[in-house]
Amino acid sequence: MSKHACFERLPARLVESVINDIGIGPYQVKEAVISGCVALAEGAELLLIGSVMRVVAKDWDLTATQKGSVVSIVFMGVFTGNLMCGPCSDRIGRRWPVIISSAAVGIFGILSAFTMGFWTLSTARFFVGLAFGFGVPASCAYCLEIAPTAWRTFVYCLPCCLYMAGEAYSASIIWLDDPTMKHLDWRWLLIVGALPSII
């Protein structure tokens, strides 16, 4: 009898059936919230950059094309991050890309506040988008993989709700800074807007 003979008699089970037998618990909720931090940061950052660009353009005398490019380059970063996420997540798992993404959004979001011109701001915002693109697909897949079948919708929707919370957070700090949005302190807003991804 081989040393693995006792395991040969056990029926093979899919991971999904084991997760369904265990059910929902604090682990799944905690991991969905951690995954949702990427969505929270994404909601905050995307609303914020679109809102502050009028003030940035005025401060730096940017053309309409440059102003639009700073916002658009975020989505080029998202595209690039999406392409990188799948192979990386398959190699190292889903959780680490989510954590790396959240940290990178915070770091590059804060760096955006210290830029001195169009090219440096565009570069920082590209990397903010790259971080979103790197983390969101892993976050979605991770939430679905860890949840029992009956709870997948709830666990998947929790990060989506955090996206809206991120937008509400940005709207709140913009309103606190200047409700008219004519004299925004855009550097302060970019720093404060990046805080949810670091926390």
Side-chain angles (χ1 to χ4, degrees), residues 16-103:
E16 180 180 8
S17 66
V18 174
I19 291 172
N20 286 334
D21 289 346
I22 294 170
I24 190 79
Y27 172 79
Q28 284 89 353
V29 174
K30 178 189 75 147
E31 293 301 313
V33 169
I34 289 171
S35 294
C37 287
V38 175
L40 178 77
E42 182 180 20
E45 289 282 340
L46 290 179
L47 181 74
L48 201 56
I49 194 63
S51 301
V52 302
M53 274 315 296
R54 183 181 326 151
V55 178
V56 174
K58 184 179 175 185
D59 285 356
W60 290 348
D61 294 322
L62 298 180
T63 66
T65 303
Q66 288 174 317
K67 182 178 160 184
S69 296
V70 171
V71 176
S72 298
I73 199 152
V74 173
F75 295 101
M76 293 173 65
V78 170
F79 175 73
T80 306
N82 284 167
L83 292 176
M84 295 169 52
C85 179
C88 185
S89 293
D90 287 343
R91 181 166 289 152
I92 65 171
R94 311 279 188 250
R95 192 167 195 260
W96 278 108
V98 169
I99 292 168
I100 291 166
S101 171
S102 189

Side-chain angles (χ1 to χ4, degrees), residues 129-177:
L130 183 97
F132 293 148
F134 189 68
V136 170
S139 170
C140 294
Y142 187 54
C143 286
L144 293 174
E145 290 173 352
I146 64 169
T149 305
W151 285 89
R152 283 194 183 140
T153 302
F154 171 77
V155 174
Y156 184 77
C157 287
L158 187 57
C160 297
C161 293
L162 289 174
Y163 179 90
M164 292 181 289
E167 289 187 323
Y169 171 75
S170 283
S172 299
I173 62 173
I174 289 168
W175 183 79
L176 287 171
D177 186 49

